[in-house]
Amino acid sequence: IDTSWVATGGSGNRVDPETGLPLAYNKQLIEAYWRSQGSALRDRWGEFLKLSVPFLLKLATLLVQDGTDGLSRNDRELAVDAREICQKLGPTFIKLAQTLSVRPDVLPPAALEELAILQDAV
């Protein structure tokens, strides 16, 4: 193994030569890394908002117009939208969706069924 991702003591100022990320938590190095990335963080937030805000507005509109009955009537469509958004946002959001897909105490059955697709598909 050429690179260890485990902090082994010392000053905590070591960085991975390939990515430039610190190998141990170091606030200054992390801030320097993100400053060096230009607009990458802002762009990622923009991508997240571009996909999630329309979905959340749709959710809020249904809730305001028809209450929880509106959500129940549209549960399948909302679940498909949520899964597709998670897939577009990538691995972290897919993992979150996979985790939620086994939580019947958090999500309704239609959402559980739809997000369970990610258990096998990715």
Side-chain angles (χ1 to χ4, degrees), residues 21-22 25-37:
L21 288 168
Y25 180 79
N26 181 307
K27 182 181 178 194
Q28 289 78 26
L29 290 176
I30 293 170
E31 288 173 346
Y33 171 80
W34 283 111
R35 276 194 301 275
S36 75
Q37 296 302 303

Side-chain angles (χ1 to χ4, degrees), residues 37-77:
Q37 296 302 303
S39 64
L41 187 58
R42 184 181 62 235
D43 293 347
R44 183 64 172 152
W45 268 108
E47 183 180 2
F48 171 77
L49 293 173
K50 178 180 76 172
L51 294 169
S52 63
V53 167
F55 175 76
L56 293 172
L57 286 174
K58 181 179 185 178
L59 203 67
T61 300
L62 287 170
L63 193 56
V64 168
Q65 287 178 344
D66 299 321
T68 55
D69 291 340
L71 295 179
S72 296
R73 280 194 302 275
N74 294 281
D75 63 351
R76 181 83 42 208
E77 179 186 347

